[in-house]
Amino acid sequence: MAELASSAAHVRHGSSIGQPLTRRDGQLKVTGGARYAADNHPPGMLHAALAVSSVARGRVTGLDLEAARAHPGVVAVMTPENRPALAQDPNDKSGPFVFRMELLQDDTVRYVGQPVAVVIAETLEAATEGAALLAPRYAAEPVSTGLEDGEAFVPPAVGVGAPAEVRHGDVEAGLAAAARRVEAVYETPAQYHNAMEPHAVVAAWEGDRLSIDTPSQGLVMAVGRVAGLFGIPPENVEIRSPFLGGGFGSKGAISGPQVLGILAAKLVGRPVKLVLKRDQMYGPVGHRAPTRQTLRLGVDGEGALTALHHHVRTASSRYDDFFEPSGSVSHTLYASPAIATTSDAVRLDSGTPIFMRAPGEASGSIALEGAIDEMAAACGMDPLEFRLRNYAEVEPTSGKPFSSKALRECYAQGAERFGWSGRPLAPRQMRDEDGLLVGWGVGTATFPALMMHGQARAVLRRDGSGLVETGAHDMGQGAWTAFAQIAADSLALPIDQLEFRAGHSGLPDAGIAGGSAHTATAGMAIHGAGADVIARLAELAMTDQRSPLFGAGNAGVVAREGRLVRRDDESRGESYAEILARAGLDEIEGRGTGAMDQAAQEHYAMHAHGAVFAEVKVDPELGQIRATRLVGAFAAGRIINPRLVRSQYYGGMIWGVSFALHEAAVVDRRTGRVMNANLGEYHVPVNADVPSLEAILVDEVDPHVNALGIKGVGEIGITGSAGAVANAVWHATGVRVRRFPIAIEELLGQP
Amino acid sequence: MNRFDYVRPATVAEAVAAAAQPGSAYLAAGTNLLDLMKGGVMRPARLVDLARVPGLDAIEALPDGGVRIGARVRNSDLAYDPGFARRFPAVAEALLSGASAQLRNAATVGGNLLQRTRCAYFYDPASACNKREAGAGCDAREGENRLHAVLGWSEQCIATHPSDFCVPLVALGAVVEIEGQAGRREVPLEEFHRLPGTTPERESVLAPGELIVAVRLPGEAAGFAGHARYVKLRERTSYAFAVVSATAGLRLEDGAIAEARLALGGVAAKPWRVPEAEAVLRGARPGAEAFRRAAEAALAEARPSGDNAFKIELARRILVRALTLAAAGTPERLPALPASPHAPHPGVSLHG
Amino acid sequence: MSLSITLTVNAVPRTIALDDPRVTLLDLLRERLDLTGTKKGCDRGQCGACTVLVDGRRVNSCLALAVSLDGAEVLTIEGLAEGEVPHPVQAAFIEHDAFQCGFCTPGQIMSAVGLIREAQAGDDPERVREAMSGNLCRCGAYKGITEAVLEAQRRLAADAEEKAA
Ligand SMILES: Cc1cc2nc3c(=O)[nH]c(=O)nc-3n(C[C@H](O)[C@H](O)[C@H](O)COP(=O)(O)OP(=O)(O)OC[C@H]3O[C@@H](n4cnc5c(N)ncnc54)[C@H](O)[C@@H]3O)c2cc1C
Ligand code: SF4
Ligand code: FES
Ligand code: FES
């Protein structure tokens, strides 16, 4: 069997793992050949368009059906009146992560942007205009739109079933005894995932068999949901999702509009394509909930934390539950004898919030890193030194040791690369040659090393080639490449001898691509499947007298480059093909599973870590900010492909910049409408916003997280970065802005 | 997008005749019009495509040293025209700070002048908007109005005109050439856009069906070429509309300001030239003190229309900045980040 | 109303009967000509995913009416490579990992090709960043994109020099 577990992080191993291969799907993606869901066009296909509500609460009292139907090319209008029956009520809540959907079950409106009808037409133009012509009329009710509105309550759980309150030690006592205290309120806005690819579905029914192209971060879950809703066996549902044009959490669970496309196909008995318009992505497909976070910190005379209280006010929708778990970062990041995280929430007339890249960690991190920075400043300490002073040697709230934690190295390497040592302590000390204010900030990055549950199948074929398949999802993280690398090593084959299949619901369940856990989960499943095949093959060889491996027995055999060889004498062995041929087998199959190691979980706290250093420049008179330089150093266990991982870090760091400086939904308080529901005014960074990024991959060997030693890299980049940028703005200007994104007007005070 | 008739006239006269029918709109590149039609904000019954109308796409040098720019000249073609950019550098800088390279490659001169406000309530057919529907009310008044007007607004409408291009144009005394059924007429750009008053739905002096055929800059406008800048404040480094912007053009004689041209963008329903401030500078020595006085004069009448009081001070400061940069001299080459406060300015002391 | 237009798409002249003047160039390519490489990210000129070259210039195909482009030459991502040989911009995008999900990529690449033809940015990374800012990438591949554009531009210049010599 290929040996994988023992070598150092991202050093070259076997032939593939650790190699900075370019993307195997690169050619397809640069030629326009990669087919995303909306690129499909089955024969006879019709186009569907949504009509969505413009009020946040109430009822639809009328639709101008005549006008829509009269539009040339319109084939049907789907409303609650004629929507095909479903086997399940879309309002039923069968589990905490089965979200309620609006599938035209009635005339109720619960947020702006909710689908209220679907127009199906021969052309996209006709469907789109048909939907506009419906011009819904409403009986509207008063709405709740802000964190101040309505009665706050303590949610039963936050995030993925985490407790709403965690208390460790006596925070009040810690604060009372503190030499210095900081209390600060940080506000983060509602944010929308805005993957570049709008949610899309192309659905075709044949009898009670359903075939769909749709982007999905969780194929098997989507199959289950769709099968349940339509009352058909899961094996009747086939979903193809070879490429997602980004997901970031919004394509984790199948969304209402995707199901509406399937319903539309059923209604008209022809294949239907439904693609969300950009503005329709600000409602039914989730968002990051707004938060207001109150941090209370105390330190002793040496700058060591005596208490940390992180209170989170967030919001869910009026009709379903998801509570942004922003407090979780405070459980792990800094040592303190007393830590409490508490949450409460209000209900808003908005769509239901959901996971969005680093859910909880991102919003919580920017607040915690800000407060930590404030305390460092209050203590007159360098913010990095302050963080080191409060370095958590064990996970503070649980007392567990970390399975690995190379955060010190991250701080050191990042600081060195950035040139942190030259940083003046006081703010507003640095200017560039043009007189722009310059500030430097640091933030600590962290993200839990999670694992979902996944499976894979591996096959060795008589011609010596291999096949590995798992229903993995490529959202851009590089699944096609990284998994092929793991697969090639698991079968000890050169990667060009390996066929890798993913992105299809008929393949073994790879689990959800979320929680930065996909590479670990599906990777372990692949690793196991390969090992299983090799073990079976070894068994065949060692029990066959004609094999040079016969009786290798206790010494055992190892797989090398398409051959099995004796461990005690690698010159003795034979090729996979020879073994299979002699056994008269066309192929040999193995299966593997990836799952969390419960025992290890009980003993260890498992997190990836990092340190991000940011430079910003601020125009002293005009307040315009630019994040001119970011250096991130991250330790996340074994790195399968450093080229892809760097890209993940850069992407995360840019999200951090965006969090601190750019993106926010502007919600009209009176109506609950997102007034910038587009990509022109909902600002995400453009190329010119991030002139310099560097990511350092810090070596880390983790023997406990899983046999491959993989932690996640997809989300950690946003944590730490957001705070580092915000802290740098303070350092540049002397103004501590606690509401994000930092607005120009907040910085105009001191010319 | 609503259904419409599509006509493609072959001459200016045909175009004007075609557009005389009520419900018509000219289609230039469509980067604003199609956007608004997709949003259901505009629903013209007929599009009169200017693509084949001859005589609208030239950049002509005029005998007086000025320039005549055809209405269909693309924003990027104008900005990159070496002769034009040399003589009117602030206009080129403004053009290149607008939108994106792709949009500038399409967008036309006429379309840029007539692009409509980015007020989110105007863009949202479910909101009340006097500009979209006369007499409907204005949801921006009590709404999200941080970026709305601080000058020239009325109770009926607080929207701003979003163009960058128009700001230096108005400062430099551009003239709009208009063709209508009644023949040709000319209107100074300064008088071309209307303030909202009680009729915010009427945005320019164009009568229905009138066509912009060209925009002219007079020869004297080139006299500012050595000291002309445009500065634009944005919420991201590029591909964003101005929060506020300003242009300054100076003619210096013996170290004193012989003549100044100043205008602000993003503050009113029209590109906002500030003759009061220009007057303050006449004869003054360039410097922080004079610039600040000019800025005070420019914003003397300003008042917030909502959560946007900060824009008033910001407009003053950006005007001072534009003046400071202009006084230092137009750079040889436009900066890599046109009009950006983050563009380096070697040798200029900007920040006191 | 039926309108007939001619377009040269990826060097192939085509006569296209349009039943509807509302069809944008983007929707024409994607929904009627099966050229789905060009992507729709916003349909409103706000993301650049739909960038193609029209008569050699990069534009947002979502904000252009097909009917208005009668007679134009259109180059899309599908027409960029010379047979099996990738265009230098395509090759550089792979090498510099200038994409993740790949959805913005056709638009980025066509924009880069347009940028290089415009010849305004030179080898200044800051000018390239500015000139590529009309193409959003939510995955955040900007660093690779800038590097790829610069490298492709160098290679194209070197190729041109070689040809000239
Ligand atoms: C995402 C985005 C960002 C942008 N950012 C900026 C920015 O930062 N700064 C900026 O200044 N602009 C910006 N713009 C606006 C852009 O400059 C305008 O859309 C463009 O200038 C309009 O030109 P066009 O040729 O496309 O006009 P069209 O859209 O074709 O027409 C616009 C209007 O003008 C009328 N019209 C056009 N030509 C004539 C004529 N000759 N005579 C009479 N009427 C005519 C049309 O009927 C229509 O009402 C942005 C646009 C977008 C989509
Ligand atoms: S400010 Fe003007 S454009 Fe905006 S909603 Fe009010 S009337 Fe309409
Ligand atoms: S789809 Fe055309 S710019 Fe976004
Ligand atoms: S690669 Fe995903 S949006 Fe650019």
Side-chain angles (χ1 to χ4, degrees), chain C residues 2-22:
Chain C
S2 182
L3 309 144
S4 170
I5 60 167
T6 57
L7 282 184
T8 303
V9 184
N10 298 332
V12 181
R14 322 174 67 137
T15 303
I16 297 156
L18 275 182
D19 52 13
D20 194 329
R22 290 176 295 183

Side-chain angles (χ1 to χ4, degrees), chain B:
Chain B
M1 194 187 295
N2 63 292
R3 294 201 292 151
F4 54 82
D5 288 335
Y6 173 81
V7 291
R8 194 192 284 158
T11 64
V12 167
E14 268 179 48
V16 169
Q21 285 205 22
S24 298
Y26 289 114
L27 172 71
T31 61
N32 189 228
L33 182 59
L34 296 178
D35 181 34
L36 290 165
M37 289 172 70
K38 286 181 182 196
V41 184
M42 288 176 75
R43 303 180 68 84
R46 123 188 294 218
L47 289 195
V48 180
D49 191 351
L50 300 176
R52 292 303 148 81
V53 176
L56 300 182
D57 51 9
I59 304 171
E60 301 162 64
L62 298 175
D64 75 339
V67 63
R68 180 173 184 277
I69 312 155
R72 216 180 54 233
V73 169
R74 310 284 176 178
N75 287 188
S76 53
D77 287 343
L78 185 59
Y80 289 133
D81 183 279
F84 179 83
R86 196 166 8 86
R87 300 169 69 73
F88 308 102
V91 182
E93 186 162 24
L95 280 168
L96 293 179
S97 73
S100 68
Q102 290 94 312
L103 286 160
R104 296 190 296 267
N105 273 342
T108 65
V109 163
N112 194 312
L113 261 57
L114 286 168
Q115 65 173 302
R116 307 196 64 189
T117 182
R118 306 306 278 202
C119 169
Y121 298 92
F122 171 71
Y123 258 83
D124 171 26
S127 293
C129 170
N130 288 322
K131 194 184 270 304
R132 214 179 337 94
E133 193 189 334
C138 169
D139 273 348
R141 247 353 233 113
E142 303 293 325
E144 292 296 326
N145 49 22
R146 190 183 148 249
L147 299 175
H148 280 72
V150 292
L151 283 161
W153 53 271
S154 70
E155 286 304 321
Q156 280 74 20
C157 179
I158 60 174
T160 62
H161 191 261
S163 167
D164 293 301
F165 179 43
C166 287
V167 179
L169 279 186
V170 80
L172 294 173
V175 173
V176 185
E177 295 183 13
I178 299 164
E179 185 92 21
Q181 287 207 295
R184 191 165 284 226
R185 64 184 181 120
E186 295 186 358
V187 177
L189 182 59
E190 212 180 330
E191 292 158 26
F192 180 78
H193 297 100
R194 298 166 46 110
L195 289 176
T198 55
T199 54
E201 72 282 6
R202 295 184 57 198
E203 294 170 352
S204 76
V205 300
L206 283 189
E210 275 190 316
L211 176 74
I212 299 181
V213 290
V215 173
R216 250 184 12 241
L217 278 169
E220 45 139 12
F224 299 91
H227 296 275
R229 291 305 297 270
Y230 182 69
V231 187
K232 174 179 179 183
L233 198 81
R234 281 165 274 196
E235 292 185 319
R236 63 183 174 192
T237 306
S238 185
Y239 206 11
F241 285 95
V243 176
V244 292
S245 69
T247 190
L250 298 175
R251 209 154 48 68
L252 299 180
E253 274 170 22
D254 306 326
I257 298 170
E259 195 180 357
R261 294 296 180 85
L262 302 173
L264 293 163
V267 293
K270 58 190 279 186
W272 193 263
R273 186 165 171 186
V274 280
E276 316 81 328
E278 292 172 1
V280 167
L281 290 175
R282 199 163 302 130
R285 296 258 143 208
E289 186 271 330
F291 296 162
R292 185 69 198 180
R293 267 195 296 123
E296 297 293 345
L299 277 298
E301 303 290 309
R303 62 205 164 98
S305 60
D307 292 329
N308 57 358
F310 76 97
K311 282 183 70 169
I312 299 173
E313 175 58 14
L314 206 50
R316 289 190 193 105
R317 293 186 190 178
I318 203 160
L319 200 56
V320 170
R321 175 65 54 81
L323 280 163
T324 311
L325 288 171
T330 309
E332 271 302 299
R333 188 178 178 204
L334 282 186
L337 302 174
S340 170
H342 286 274
H345 302 290
V348 189
S349 166
L350 294 178
H351 311 286

Side-chain angles (χ1 to χ4, degrees), chain A residues 196 245-246, chain C residues 98-105 108 136-141:
Chain A
M196 287 306 299
Chain C
F99 52 90
Q100 295 184 28
C101 77
F103 196 81
C104 71
T105 310
Q108 301 277 1
L136 302 185
C137 175
R138 185 57 154 165
C139 295

Side-chain angles (χ1 to χ4, degrees), chain A residues 545-736:
Chain A
Q545 299 193 357
R546 291 162 296 175
S547 168
L549 298 171
F550 178 68
N554 289 345
V557 300
V558 286
R560 297 260 187 265
E561 306 265 320
R563 295 171 62 78
L564 291 185
V565 297
R566 284 182 68 115
R567 195 186 289 275
D568 55 359
D569 178 2
E570 296 204 359
S571 69
R572 288 164 67 191
E574 62 181 336
S575 73
Y576 301 164
E578 284 167 313
I579 301 171
L580 287 170
R582 193 153 8 78
L585 291 176
D586 284 335
E587 58 176 46
I588 186 163
E589 182 191 301
R591 303 241 166 203
T593 299
M596 200 133 86
D597 178 343
Q598 293 295 350
Q601 283 284 328
E602 268 164 40
H603 289 104
Y604 296 102
M606 300 177 177
H607 301 271
H609 290 94
V612 183
F613 298 83
E615 174 186 273
V616 302
K617 293 190 177 178
V618 184
D619 188 294
E621 290 86 23
L622 305 178
Q624 192 171 316
I625 310 167
R626 192 175 187 215
T628 44
R629 192 159 64 90
L630 266 77
V631 174
F634 301 96
R638 182 194 301 279
I639 297 305
I640 302 299
N641 181 326
R643 182 190 305 257
L644 306 184
V645 165
R646 277 210 174 80
S647 288
Q648 285 292 295
Y649 290 150
Y650 296 146
M653 289 158 79
I654 292 173
W655 276 57
V657 171
S658 193
F659 204 123
L661 302 183
H662 299 296
E663 69 182 280
V666 176
V667 179
D668 186 294
R669 303 262 321 187
R670 302 161 299 180
T671 61
R673 274 184 221 138
V674 177
M675 296 313 298
N676 59 345
N678 55 57
L679 284 175
E681 272 81 22
Y682 183 100
H683 288 151
V684 302
V686 297
N687 198 318
D689 284 313
V690 282
S692 172
L693 298 172
E694 265 186 84
I696 300 169
L697 313 189
V698 174
D699 276 348
E700 188 179 72
V701 179
D702 193 314
H704 304 295
V705 275
N706 49 59
L708 288 167
I710 298 172
K711 297 179 178 175
V713 300
E715 296 167 273
I716 187 170
I718 179 171
T719 72
S721 303
V725 171
N727 293 337
V729 171
W730 169 77
H731 190 238
T733 61
V735 182
R736 180 70 67 179

Side-chain angles (χ1 to χ4, degrees), chain A residues 492-514:
Chain A
L493 283 175
I495 198 161
D496 55 11
Q497 288 278 84
L498 180 95
E499 183 187 346
F500 176 66
R501 293 187 191 147
H504 189 288
S505 64
L507 302 172
D509 180 6
I512 304 169

Side-chain angles (χ1 to χ4, degrees), chain A residues 349-397:
Chain A
D349 295 295
S350 71
T352 306
I354 197 159
F355 307 96
M356 176 164 158
R357 200 172 193 178
E361 279 79 12
S363 50
S365 164
I366 195 169
L368 175 63
E369 290 304 311
I372 287 285
D373 224 59
E374 293 192 49
M375 183 56 100
C379 296
M381 284 173 74
D382 174 84
L384 177 54
E385 186 197 336
F386 183 80
R387 283 168 173 80
L388 285 165
R389 173 77 47 91
N390 290 286
Y391 194 85
E393 302 291 352
V394 296
E395 186 175 53
T397 43

